[in-house]
Amino acid sequence: MTTASEATPRSATSKDSTTDNRSGRVLALVLAAQFMALLDIFIVNVAAPTIRSELHASGAGLQLVVAGYTITYAVLLITGARLGDLLGHGRPIWPGSASSPRPRWPADSPREPGS
């Protein structure tokens, strides 16, 4: 005996394909962000000998510079994620994207030899 209150089977394929598509995009975004974070830390480690000679730092001082950079990066990343949760994911991304390369512009500018 069947009743009218029984649910009719829904097509699961449309919802599953939308979820799979969204999950794939989220995974790609997370992997790209993780790659960029590792690349950034790798660049600091490659620059470590220059940092050591320019700042006349010891091995412990160099470790402190790298650790301080990594912790600062992590704190700003977590703060940005929290702002995204509070304000919506679209609003905080543009100021962050616009401001992230600015501290590097002076370092990338060509210098005169001996200056």
Side-chain angles (χ1 to χ4, degrees):
M1 178 169 151
T2 60
T3 62
S5 65
E6 286 183 13
T8 58
R10 292 177 33 211
S11 173
T13 58
S14 64
K15 185 176 181 183
D16 289 341
S17 65
T18 304
T19 304
D20 289 342
N21 191 13
R22 187 177 296 167
S23 296
R25 281 191 260 161
V26 169
L27 178 62
L29 182 65
V30 168
L31 289 176
Q34 183 64 32
F35 174 75
M36 293 302 292
L38 287 173
L39 183 66
D40 209 21
I41 301 302
F42 178 73
I43 289 169
V44 171
N45 282 321
V46 167
T50 305
I51 294 170
R52 185 177 191 169
S53 66
E54 293 288 325
L55 297 177
H56 307 291
S58 64
L62 187 59
Q63 285 179 344
L64 187 62
V65 167
V66 173
Y69 181 82
T70 305
I71 289 171
T72 303
Y73 186 83
V75 166
L76 291 174
L77 186 67
I78 292 170
T79 303
R82 182 65 181 145
L83 283 174
D85 288 340
L86 293 174
L87 302 175
H89 297 290
R91 290 176 58 195
I93 199 163
W94 296 114
S97 297
S99 67
S100 74
R102 287 191 184 161
R104 294 189 185 125
W105 287 347
D108 292 342
S109 62
R111 292 187 235 159
E112 298 283 331
S115 61

